[in-house]
Amino acid sequence: MVFGRGTWLLVGAVVMLCLVLVGPSAPGSTHSGSSTPSVATRDVVPNRVMTWNICNPCGKSNADQAGEIAAYAPQVVGLQEACVRDVDRIREYLQSLYGLVYHVEYGSVLQNWGRCGGLPWNPGGFGEALLTAAPMTDVVKVEYPDGGSEDRGYMAVTTTVGDRRVRVYNTHLAERRQESVRADQVRVLATEVARHERAVVLGDFNAVPDAPELSRMWSLAADADPRCTPSTAGVCEPTTDWHSRFDYVFLRGITPLRHRVQPTSYSDHHLLYADLSST
């Protein structure tokens, strides 16, 4: 088929118009109306660990979520409700915009087109993710025998926190009003955590501190906030928009120095991070 010169000019104009409307899509490009260029900032903060349920599907910008993480630059980040594709983009933004380089491992337990996009016959992975400044070894990914209303699981890696090797877990337990399911999930998780003298357990447990199903975790580990225990549940800072404490940094054989709960407009869960003693 042969097109005239006028037709080709029209095609070229349409292509140029599309490029102008769509704009650049590389992680290093500007975003959210900002003209801030890509710049390198400080390194990660040694001994700092973070947990964050990034809320999916909430339609939030991966660039904005990366900015929230970069503001605190933890050495280890545990994410829940994480789509593989979204975390890949967050990780790219962390490097290109903030100079923060992270390794990544995924604990996906669902292939979900509705949550994570992709092709109907090849949907995106959904579950947990760990970002660490140091390499990870001995990676384990486990789906709980009963996930409740949605498949759930945990992942575990060995990595460096500060200058010491530590076993790090990341989990997301069954949704609210599924107490018996969560109790079984905690039993599975606690059995593995008990094998290690030093461990960090990050995650969204979907349960308040004095919930009976968390008793096995409390028998093994303490919260990063020394004041927060099952018997003092009223003083535990809430980590959700509905004023409940659902997110935890449990520590086994490790002493916390300080912690912070930081509300964010990019999820219905708050950021929670802790700085840990190196001894």
Side-chain angles (χ1 to χ4, degrees):
M1 184 178 296
V2 178
F3 295 102
R5 181 172 181 273
T7 300
W8 286 114
L9 289 174
L10 177 61
V11 170
V14 170
V15 170
M16 291 301 296
L17 178 61
C18 290
L19 289 173
V20 170
L21 292 175
V22 173
S25 59
S29 62
T30 59
H31 59 280
S32 301
S34 170
S35 59
T36 303
S38 299
V39 293
T41 60
R42 58 194 174 100
D43 293 332
V44 297
V45 179
N47 291 305
R48 177 169 291 176
V49 299
M50 172 188 287
T51 185
W52 189 21
N53 181 322
I54 57 177
C55 185
N56 182 290
C58 283
K60 301 301 183 181
S61 161
N62 297 146
D64 290 332
Q65 291 171 330
E68 291 286 79
I69 295 170
Y72 307 102
Q75 194 173 16
V76 174
V77 186
L79 300 175
Q80 303 88 41
E81 294 196 24
C83 291
V84 170
R85 182 167 57 181
D86 288 338
V87 177
D88 281 343
R89 290 171 177 166
I90 289 170
R91 183 169 168 249
E92 290 171 357
Y93 281 123
L94 284 166
Q95 180 170 357
S96 63
L97 296 178
Y98 305 101
L100 296 169
V101 179
Y102 287 99
H103 301 269
V104 64
E105 289 287 349
Y106 294 101
S108 302
V109 293
L110 280 175
Q111 300 298 312
N112 193 301
W113 181 81
R115 283 186 182 269
C116 298
L119 300 173
W121 57 89
N122 186 27
F126 175 80
E128 292 84 53
L130 275 168
L131 302 178
T132 63
M136 291 173 267
T137 60
D138 305 316
V139 179
V140 173
K141 305 172 185 181
V142 175
E143 183 175 342
Y144 292 124
D146 183 359
S149 56
E150 180 179 79
D151 294 345
R152 295 288 164 90
Y154 76 84
M155 59 186 301
V157 305
T158 298
T159 190
T160 301
V161 179
D163 57 1
R164 299 187 65 176
R165 301 292 284 172
V166 176
R167 193 67 172 164
V168 178
Y169 293 82
N170 183 21
T171 192
H172 188 190
L173 300 191
E175 296 174 346
R176 288 175 288 178
R177 296 178 295 277
Q178 299 179 75
E179 292 85 355
S180 62
V181 175
R182 287 197 298 274
D184 288 339
Q185 293 172 347
V186 170
R187 188 176 298 110
V188 172
L189 176 63
T191 299
E192 291 303 310
V193 174
R195 297 173 56 236
H196 300 275
E197 294 183 358
R198 290 172 53 85
V200 175
V201 186
L202 310 170
D204 174 4
F205 284 74
N206 268 318
V208 294
D210 57 354
E213 61 266 31
L214 294 189
S215 60
R216 285 179 178 262
M217 281 306 306
W218 287 115
S219 68
L220 290 172
D223 190 76
D225 179 358
R227 302 171 303 167
C228 183
T229 68
S231 61
T232 61
V235 305
C236 300
E237 293 180 77
T239 61
T240 66
D241 287 352
W242 51 94
H243 307 295
S244 294
R245 176 62 177 267
F246 278 4
D247 305 270
Y248 299 87
V249 174
F250 282 115
L251 303 174
R252 177 171 168 82
I254 301 173
T255 303
L257 297 177
R258 62 191 64 86
H259 77 285
R260 180 172 180 178
V261 175
Q262 177 61 45
T264 169
S265 60
Y266 303 118
S267 174
D268 55 359
H269 285 252
H270 307 338
L271 295 165
L272 170 60
Y273 75 79
D275 293 336
L276 313 179
S277 171
S278 58
T279 59

